[in-house]
Amino acid sequence: MNMKNKLYIGCFTLALAAYSGIASANDAVLFKIHDITPVKNADGVVVSCDLGATFYNRSKSEVYNTALKLEWADEVVADAINQEERNAKEAKRMNRRNIPRYNTATYNSRNVSLNLRLPTIKPYQQVTLKSKVNTDRCFLLFNDMDIEVTSCNLLADKADNKSSSAKDACKNLFRFIGPKSPEYHMEFKAVSEEEQKTQEDMQMDAQKKEIEKVYGDTVSSISAFSKRLANSMPGMDGGPKE
């Protein structure tokens, strides 16, 4: 094989790899975390973090019934907890009595987590949600995180109603874009205030419906239990009488 053919094959291989990368990136739901704002209590102590989460569906499938768990690791806290656990084991082994009553794990966890329920996202559509994390470690939210898909459905062809309810089908669908990536500023569309308000109204409406459903289910369960109780006890309305 001469040098010219080797050059052609090398170029073809690079082009194929680049095309595969583009195809893989296009068949994804990109998301970013932004507008991270610390929230302070009356004493000026940070107690939570407000944030926005924008999702851009670049796949050909409609994504619905989606819930995600995002988890940020705090390595500094994790190292402190691990060291304190080692110290406690050593103190116990040496029969020491001066083991600290409170430690880092009492006030902090190794991870900061956020559960998000997404509205339906059509192909090539973008949505923005507002949420809050109950932590004082807002700086962690700028970092990469572990993504767990707790529920997800895909609708590839709405006309034929071909859907997939497999959580595994969405396992690698969501891709986080961090602030240091050029895609953070290039890939997402600008959203007008009107669109933002519409999306917020839709989010509030979905949350309201979910709360109403939970309330309705609870009332129905209580009502059914009351009827069973009344039927099982003599002397009560509807119950068997002697």
Side-chain angles (χ1 to χ4, degrees), residues 170-182:
C170 303
K171 186 175 181 181
N172 298 315
L173 182 66
F174 294 89
R175 186 158 67 88
F176 172 68
I177 305 298
K180 294 180 181 179
S181 171

Side-chain angles (χ1 to χ4, degrees), residues 10-24:
C11 291
F12 176 77
T13 303
L14 287 173
L16 183 61
Y19 175 80
S20 299
I22 293 171
S24 175

Side-chain angles (χ1 to χ4, degrees), residues 21-30 57-60 124 175 187:
I22 293 171
S24 175
N26 284 336
D27 192 24
V29 177
L30 308 182
N57 184 6
R58 292 203 311 192
S59 74
K60 296 179 181 179
Y124 311 110
R175 186 158 67 88
E187 291 299 329

Side-chain angles (χ1 to χ4, degrees), residues 4-130:
K4 190 175 182 180
N5 288 337
K6 288 181 179 179
L7 183 61
Y8 283 149
I9 292 173
C11 291
F12 176 77
T13 303
L14 287 173
L16 183 61
Y19 175 80
S20 299
I22 293 171
S24 175
N26 284 336
D27 192 24
V29 177
L30 308 182
F31 74 96
K32 65 178 180 177
I33 304 296
H34 52 89
D35 297 330
I36 300 169
T37 307
V39 178
K40 299 180 180 179
N41 62 14
D43 297 324
V45 178
V46 176
V47 292
S48 63
C49 316
D50 287 342
L51 59 87
T54 295
F55 292 80
Y56 179 27
N57 184 6
R58 292 203 311 192
S59 74
K60 296 179 181 179
S61 300
E62 181 177 298
V63 185
Y64 65 100
N65 189 32
T66 305
L68 303 178
K69 181 180 181 181
L70 309 180
E71 198 164 70
W72 291 265
D74 190 331
E75 295 180 0
V76 174
V77 170
D79 288 344
I81 292 174
N82 292 338
Q83 184 60 50
E84 288 170 355
E85 288 176 348
R86 288 193 293 268
N87 293 343
K89 287 181 181 178
E90 180 64 16
K92 189 175 181 180
R93 188 180 70 83
M94 301 293 292
N95 292 321
R96 295 174 187 161
R97 295 184 179 181
N98 59 339
I99 300 175
R101 191 172 186 180
Y102 299 102
N103 50 37
T104 304
T106 307
Y107 304 101
N108 290 296
S109 61
R110 290 180 171 87
N111 302 307
V112 171
S113 62
L114 169 66
N115 293 308
L116 283 177
R117 179 163 290 279
L118 276 57
T120 297
I121 311 177
K122 299 181 184 297
Y124 311 110
Q125 182 189 19
Q126 178 175 290
V127 298
T128 297
L129 312 177
K130 286 189 175 181

